[in-house]
């Protein structure tokens, strides 16, 4: 008996720190975090300037990585992997970003550049994918093997996790649910097509609905707020909370369209969790309750069960956490 | 050196027969096949009658399995797995079919019943999923890891393969692309919603377009064929091949709607191959060429590459072959 226990004890995981670096490349900002067991131990922003060289940028990032390690009392050599989440369409296979318009205005070969410093595996993926992984590892979708995270922003993006693996498709470009047709021959979309989900469910669309409603109803609270502080994605919610009927109609219209795309994804993929991200998800139940009710009307398995719908929990940290966990969600 | 070769030789695969049984349960017919290395060695239909008991049906099926084995000179004990493709929503986890309306009018516990005869693993899945596996293993999508097979029939069904695994979603009910909205507030669908893909891209919809066109254009060839032989999914194609402009317009309309759903799937999942199944896929390039051209207009990655679109190759054998390979595409 004593011998058996002797062998079991060292296998217990707790206390063992497996360290990863997650890097979230935003429009103008780069956030670097040291991650262990699904938590950010410490993080820091990297200052950058437009036109910076690949070498200088990697040097700057690695300096921050070294500082984070020093702070935490670990050696850089203990880092098992570095993950980078970047906007656009990265070259996942070769560890390069797509064009980083606001930084280098070119592709960036992170895997190649980091070789100068470390033997850690380097992964690069789309920022929407990283956010989905972050929420699946440590956020709203903790413990779910099948997750779709839909980010409602200027556009509509998605990260798809199936059986605990990221689904990028054969070319790494999957998840463009914003450019699926939901209203054949409908509103013009930026992509050139008409009737795309993004043209109806993005915050850009919500602002369009808000503006039209305010113009049409100059005596409404929504019009009053709009004329005082301008219109953003929150305007309709702020007015609705004050009992404005016009604002309620705007939210009804917006959540109706949002629910169409969510129901489509559920009918196709049947994930166990849909996570709604983007700044607007901070509206919480004001946004989610109408969406849930409208999705239920449209889902094919409404009687036998379908995905839960939750707001993202991690805000900006999802990008760092997800990037740090890329090694687990990618087979290459 | 001699010793090394001695050990290497038996590991070579060719000539080694790994045997599986695939069972395809149709509306009124059950087909059983003995499958090895992606080919059907021999197959036979099982006669059945409405209201047959579970025990009697399994006895009958197993009698056919024994005969197939005898014919091929193998012992029943050599069979590694039995897969069953059934209509509706099977209980994949427990190896039961859904209600088999035309046979027993009840669920059917294949895994439980087959235990009386064999230790082989028993898998049950949806027939659309099995067809997709069949085409991925031995048909139009041979060698592809990411495949969506879309079957255009009375309704529209789909089987989704991602990273060489079937995607049934968390509840086994994924693939209902027929009930995704493509025309918000559009045509009434049988499911209760409006504007579903199925209401525009099923053969039922094609027949509706054909009838309307024939009624509106009584001097067209399509109207002539319709009045002589009635309307089915082939009518418009037959008339178009004779140069009928009205029929061409029908095909143009139908393939336009079909392309919307295919482009949506590509934008979401980016599979490397889309396989079109169902009787209408026999129209081959007459159906596929306009679909390909219209999909190209709508795909987000039209410049960087996207899925090939092919017609199914295996017809009814896809169900047997896919069922026999379920063991490989399911993790449970």
């Amino acid at each position: 008996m004593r011998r058996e226990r002797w062998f079991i004890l060292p296998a217990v995981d707790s206390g063992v720190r497996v360290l990863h670096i997650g890097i979230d490349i935003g429009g103008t900002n780069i956030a670097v975090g040291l991650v262990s067991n699904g938590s950010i131990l410490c993080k820091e922003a990297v200052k950058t300037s437009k036109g910076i060289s690949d070498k200088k940028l990697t040097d700057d990032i690695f300096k921050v990585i070294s500082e984070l390690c020093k702070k935490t009392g670990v050696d850089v050599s203990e880092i098992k992997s570095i993950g980078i989440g970047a906007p656009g369409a990265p070259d996942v296979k070769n560890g390069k970003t797509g064009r980083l318009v606001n930084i280098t205005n070119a592709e960036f070969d992170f895997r190649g550049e980091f070789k100068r410093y470390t033997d850690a595996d380097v992964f690069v993926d789309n920022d929407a994918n990283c956010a989905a992984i972050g929420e699946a590892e440590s956020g709203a979708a903790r413990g779910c093997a099948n997750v779709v995270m839909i980010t409602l922003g200027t556009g509509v993006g998605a990260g798809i996790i199936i059986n605990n693996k990221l689904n990028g498709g054969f070319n790494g470009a999957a998840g463009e649910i914003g450019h699926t047709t939901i209203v054949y021959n409908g509103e013009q979309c930026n992509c050139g097509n008409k009737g795309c989900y993004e043209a109806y469910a993005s915050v850009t669309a919500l602002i369009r609905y808000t503006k039209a409603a305010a113009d049409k109803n100059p005596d409404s609270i929504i019009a009053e707020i709009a004329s005082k502080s301008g219109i953003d994605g929150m305007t309709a919610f702020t007015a609705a909370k004050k009992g404005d009927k016009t604002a309620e109609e705007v939210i009804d219209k917006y959540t109706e369209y949002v629910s169409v795309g969510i129901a489509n994804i559920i009918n196709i993929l049947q994930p166990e969790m849909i996570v709604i991200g983007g700044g607007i998800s901070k509206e919480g139940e004001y946004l989610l309750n109408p969406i849930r009710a409208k999705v239920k009307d449209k889902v094919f398995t409404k009687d036998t069960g379908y995905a839960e719908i939750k707001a993202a929990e991690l805000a900006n940290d999802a990008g760092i956490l997800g990037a740090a966990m890329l090694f687990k969600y990618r087979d290459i």
Side-chain angles (χ1 to χ4, degrees), chain A:
Chain A
M1 276 303 276
R2 269 173 68 194
R3 195 178 159 190
E4 217 181 330
R5 290 177 105 186
W6 177 258
F7 278 104
I8 291 170
L9 276 173
V12 172
D13 242 19
S14 65
V16 179
R17 287 205 301 198
V18 187
L19 298 163
H20 302 272
I21 292 287
I23 302 176
D24 183 22
I25 301 185
T28 50
N29 190 33
I30 296 178
V32 180
L34 182 61
V35 173
S36 175
N37 295 328
S39 298
I40 298 176
L41 301 181
C42 52
K43 61 179 177 176
E44 212 170 303
V46 176
K47 283 186 187 68
T48 180
S49 53
K50 195 158 173 160
I52 192 168
S53 76
D54 287 19
K55 191 178 170 306
K56 176 78 170 73
L57 182 59
T58 330
D59 287 351
D60 289 352
I61 293 176
F62 214 81
K63 215 168 131 188
V64 168
I65 293 177
S66 304
E67 284 165 16
L68 294 177
C69 287
K70 211 173 162 187
K71 251 190 223 168
T72 329
V74 302
D75 195 89
V76 172
S77 66
E78 289 181 59
I79 292 167
K80 296 283 179 233
S81 78
I82 301 178
I84 298 107
D91 177 353
V92 169
K93 218 164 181 172
N94 297 306
K96 297 178 184 178
T97 66
R99 251 178 88 216
L100 296 179
V101 181
N102 293 309
I103 301 172
T104 68
N105 207 17
E107 289 184 345
F108 192 97
D109 179 12
F110 272 109
R111 192 174 291 163
E113 288 291 335
F114 274 137
K115 273 206 184 113
R116 294 190 284 124
Y117 294 101
T118 169
D119 292 331
D121 293 326
V122 176
F123 297 84
V124 175
D125 217 304
N126 179 271
D127 46 6
N129 286 343
C130 291
I133 294 176
E135 293 291 340
E137 279 286 310
S138 313
R142 257 186 313 276
C144 298
N146 298 283
V147 178
V148 178
M149 176 164 172
I150 300 175
T151 302
L152 306 172
T154 313
V156 175
I160 301 173
I161 293 167
I162 293 176
N163 285 334
N164 291 308
K165 293 282 174 192
L166 205 51
N167 178 54
F170 85 102
N171 54 358
E176 289 291 351
I177 74 159
H179 300 290
T180 57
T181 302
I182 64 156
V183 185
Y184 182 72
N185 230 348
E187 290 280 346
Q188 184 64 49
C189 180
N190 289 329
C191 74
N193 283 330
K194 285 181 173 179
C196 290
Y197 185 46
E198 179 163 305
Y200 290 87
S202 60
V203 174
T204 314
L206 171 58
I207 290 172
R208 194 175 73 230
Y209 307 149
T210 305
K211 190 176 175 335
D215 287 350
K216 208 180 154 187
N217 302 280
D219 297 333
S220 62
I221 302 176
I222 209 172
E224 192 191 321
I225 299 177
S227 72
K228 268 189 204 156
S229 1
I231 292 173
D232 63 19
M234 308 300 174
T235 309
F237 291 96
T238 310
K241 282 169 201 165
K242 292 181 175 173
D244 188 36
K245 222 178 145 55
T246 306
E248 277 168 20
E249 284 166 14
V250 168
I251 292 170
D252 188 60
K253 180 177 181 174
Y254 177 65
T255 53
E256 171 68 9
Y257 284 124
V258 171
S259 77
V260 172
I262 294 177
N264 281 358
I265 282 290
I266 290 176
N267 287 337
I268 296 170
L269 291 177
Q270 295 281 357
E272 58 213 275
M273 183 69 73
I274 299 272
V275 181
I276 310 281
I280 199 178
S281 67
K282 286 180 202 147
E283 295 295 340
E285 299 306 299
Y286 285 93
L287 175 75
L288 292 178
N289 274 339
I291 289 177
R292 288 192 192 109
K294 292 165 200 288
V295 165
K296 189 173 182 178
D297 278 346
K298 299 173 181 73
V299 165
F300 194 68
T301 53
K302 53 175 147 279
D303 300 324
T304 51
Y306 59 92
E308 234 184 293
I309 301 170
K310 282 192 183 174
E313 290 177 4
L314 304 174
N316 293 334
D317 283 350
I320 293 175
L321 280 163
M325 293 291 119
L326 272 171
F327 75 96
K328 195 172 149 186
Y329 284 79
R330 274 281 182 209
D331 274 332
I332 54 164

